[in-house]
Amino acid sequence: MLKYSFDWSIVTSGKYFEWLVSGLKVTLELSAVGIVCAFILGLIIAVLRMSHFRPVRWIATAYLEFFRNTPLLVQIFFWYFGSYKVLPAVVNDWLNSTNFEFAAAAIALTIYTSAFIAEDIRSGILSIPKEQMEAARSAGFSYLRSMQYIILPQAVRITVPPLVNQFLNLAKNSSLAMSIGVMELTYQARQVESYTFKGFEAFTAATVVYLALSVVITALMDLYNKKVLNPHRA
């Protein structure tokens, strides 16, 4: 029978532990950039999706259908290998002068996740009684001002739980960035396995970190539900 000698010290101390920590930092940075940008972009797309101007609504709908129904890995490869065809030369030069792999992954994660966030926010907007929009318009607010001051604050508050789920998915999907050389947590776990042949320990450590990240985000969501959405039930 094959015998396997476990050695957990390689992932709890020394340079391999430092590799995993550096990978976690990159994962957190990539997730943070993706979450902020995806939320802003998703908010814009949700508003455009509900526009009364039909061409704008069609463009927003096409955006949602395209990016929600194509694999994230394909989108990552597209931005990594084909971004120079669709982005201005100035932007490409700036990306190449920085961390291009990180930027390509961040763009892909942002666009992919924003399509799902837009639908969550749109659902929140539709849950707001239409009389509130009518009252805002009758008070002299434009459509955009009504959205900005009346509808969106309520809609975002309602959709925080599903939005947190999207943020959690983005954090987990960031592991696909290893496919283009982003040195995030999964990439570093693979490096540890390559150097030590201790794949069980390396990927167990990565799994535990992803699980801990998920638990923290879920706990924050539960806390928000108790303290903000349902304070009287806390």
Side-chain angles (χ1 to χ4, degrees):
M1 294 180 62
L2 294 177
K3 294 184 178 180
Y4 185 84
S5 177
F6 292 95
D7 183 8
W8 296 103
S9 64
I10 65 169
V11 294
T12 58
S13 62
K15 68 175 183 179
Y16 300 124
F17 172 75
E18 294 176 358
W19 289 5
L20 294 177
V21 172
S22 67
L24 174 59
K25 291 179 180 178
V26 174
T27 293
L28 293 176
E29 291 171 358
L30 185 58
S31 299
V33 171
I35 285 170
V36 173
C37 295
F39 176 76
I40 295 172
L41 183 57
L43 193 62
I44 295 172
I45 296 299
V47 173
L48 296 179
R49 177 73 172 79
M50 301 188 69
S51 172
H52 297 297
F53 188 50
R54 190 171 297 176
V56 171
R57 191 167 68 248
W58 286 347
I59 292 173
T61 301
Y63 176 97
L64 294 176
E65 292 301 321
F66 180 83
F67 289 109
R68 291 178 67 197
N69 293 291
T70 53
L72 174 57
L73 186 58
V74 173
Q75 295 183 34
I76 291 175
F77 285 147
F78 169 80
W79 289 109
Y80 183 64
F81 293 108
S83 62
Y84 67 95
K85 288 290 187 180
V86 296
L87 295 178
V90 175
V91 176
N92 283 317
D93 292 340
W94 179 78
L95 291 176
N96 287 323
S97 66
T98 57
N99 189 340
F100 179 72
E101 291 80 8
F102 183 95
I107 292 172
L109 286 168
T110 293
I111 293 178
Y112 178 81
T113 307
S114 69
F116 293 92
I117 288 177
E119 284 296 272
D120 288 337
I121 294 176
R122 188 173 74 92
S123 298
I125 293 174
L126 292 175
S127 69
I128 306 299
K130 64 180 182 179
E131 289 79 10
Q132 294 198 29
M133 173 62 79
E134 294 172 354
R137 296 302 300 274
S138 64
F141 285 89
S142 66
Y143 174 78
L144 291 178
R145 293 299 182 186
S146 299
M147 280 288 186
Q148 180 181 356
Y149 294 113
I150 308 298
I151 305 300
L152 286 179
Q154 298 179 76
V156 171
R157 177 177 176 273
I158 293 172
T159 57
V160 163
L163 287 178
V164 171
N165 288 332
Q166 296 299 340
F167 298 158
L168 182 58
N169 288 334
L170 188 150
K172 292 184 292 185
N173 287 336
S174 67
S175 62
L176 293 176
M178 70 168 291
S179 61
I180 57 173
V182 178
M183 300 175 68
E184 44 74 58
L185 181 59
T186 305
Y187 180 98
Q188 295 290 16
R190 182 68 180 85
Q191 287 291 94
V192 172
E193 188 276 333
S194 298
Y195 277 79
T196 65
F197 299 102
K198 296 292 183 179
F200 186 87
E201 291 90 333
F203 286 104
T204 296
T207 300
V208 170
V209 172
Y210 281 118
L211 179 60
L213 184 61
S214 300
V215 169
V216 169
I217 294 177
T218 302
L220 291 175
M221 181 187 69
D222 292 338
L223 183 63
Y224 179 86
N225 285 336
K226 292 178 181 178
K227 299 297 184 180
V228 180
L229 296 185
N230 299 296
H232 300 297
R233 296 183 182 180

